Amino acid sequence: MKKKEKGQLIVLSGPSGVGKSTVIAELLGQRKNIYFSVSYTTRSPRVGEQDGVNYNFVDRAEFERMIAEEELLEYAEYVHNYYGTSLKVIRDKLEEGTDVLLDIEVQGAAKVRQRCPDALFIFIIPPSFEELSRRLHNRNTDSEEVIAGRLEKARLEAREIVHYNYLVINDKVSNAVSEIEAILTAAECRVENREKIYKGVFSL
Ligand code: 5GP
């Protein structure tokens, strides 16, 4: 497939437990020319998570070094852990014409909005609050206290939805993926992304 002149930066946020990782895995399987930015975090790996695949797992000292050396596009502290996006990798990918997908929480997204206003901002929600609670419980990875904290956080994060461009409802993974596909396709069809094409067609 022909690469674009410049990749599109896509920011995906949504409450913990909404199913973002599953949706992202499915999306990456279906759509070519899209790179998932593997974040850095100080939290411990969950069962089944792999270093370098789900996250780059680092200690606090290393994370703080990255902050000090300005290696991060954005970072945030979320439920007592740091999470951040490496600037270099995503810059290189965008330059080579590959779309880059970031799975980040709302504070990080706000920083990206300031630094990269042309990015696409997508928020993903569950079909109901009860369903979110059910999904967090089914994950069997967190204590009751941690789950309560994540649910509380979800309500606070929902206040930020107004700053996003698109809202996707993850009632079923395949539906959420189709909606995101539609958003990405529409973005690709924007006139500013097709300037070379129409100028070529009409020799402008
Ligand atoms: P979890 O611990 O459930 O994997 O992630 C917790 C939250 O951190 C999620 O909302 C996820 O989107 C967010 N997150 C993951 N990576 C990053 C990152 O690089 N930067 C920011 N700001 N948030 C991130």
Side-chain angles (χ1 to χ4, degrees):
M1 199 176 89
K2 198 173 163 294
K3 289 246 175 112
K4 298 185 286 189
E5 280 163 62
K6 203 162 187 306
Q8 169 76 59
L9 184 60
I10 305 142
V11 174
L12 187 66
S13 302
S16 177
V18 74
K20 266 174 301 171
S21 314
T22 315
V23 168
I24 289 171
E26 192 86 7
L27 179 74
L28 297 179
Q30 283 183 28
R31 205 176 168 92
K32 304 282 167 285
N33 196 26
I34 180 163
Y35 170 82
F36 175 67
S37 160
V38 180
S39 295
Y40 287 77
T41 185
T42 57
R43 89 150 159 72
S44 316
R46 295 200 186 105
V47 177
E49 283 184 335
Q50 280 177 276
D51 190 27
V53 177
N54 306 87
Y55 283 104
N56 295 301
F57 296 98
V58 295
D59 59 22
R60 277 188 99 81
E62 169 63 3
F63 200 100
E64 279 162 3
R65 185 200 62 77
M66 294 175 82
I67 298 173
E69 313 229 331
E70 300 186 350
E71 291 178 13
L72 301 172
L73 166 67
E74 61 74 36
Y75 70 92
E77 200 154 5
Y78 183 92
V79 198
H80 316 304
N81 282 300
Y82 279 129
Y83 293 83
T85 308
S86 157
L87 183 58
K88 182 174 184 330
V89 179
I90 72 160
R91 193 184 273 156
D92 292 350
K93 292 285 172 190
L94 292 172
E95 286 299 326
E96 71 174 38
T98 302
D99 291 342
V100 175
L101 178 64
L102 308 183
D103 164 359
I104 62 177
E105 51 65 66
V106 296
Q107 306 163 66
K111 289 185 202 155
V112 177
R113 204 172 286 116
Q114 282 174 0
R115 289 184 79 170
C116 318
D118 294 338
L120 275 184
F121 293 87
I122 306 174
F123 201 95
I124 179 162
I125 62 165
S128 69
F129 200 73
E130 291 68 32
E131 177 59 21
L132 182 64
S133 171
R134 209 171 302 130
R135 288 180 193 174
L136 282 169
H137 282 94
N138 287 346
R139 203 152 74 168
N140 271 332
T141 51
D142 298 315
S143 67
E144 217 34 63
E145 198 190 339
V146 170
I147 292 177
R150 288 184 185 256
L151 286 170
E152 180 62 31
K153 189 125 195 147
R155 277 202 206 280
L156 290 175
E157 287 169 343
R159 295 175 192 271
E160 301 299 313
I161 291 175
V162 290
H163 302 300
Y164 285 72
N165 308 116
Y166 298 97
L167 185 73
V168 165
I169 299 162
N170 186 21
D171 52 349
K172 221 173 116 204
V173 172
S174 56
N175 290 343
V177 172
S178 308
E179 289 192 348
I180 297 174
E181 283 265 21
I183 294 165
L184 301 187
T185 302
E188 241 171 67
C189 296
R190 278 189 184 149
V191 170
E192 62 264 33
N193 290 334
R194 298 205 143 166
E195 239 178 68
K196 263 221 163 122
I197 300 178
Y198 79 81
K199 287 187 173 164
V201 169
F202 296 102
S203 312
L204 295 175

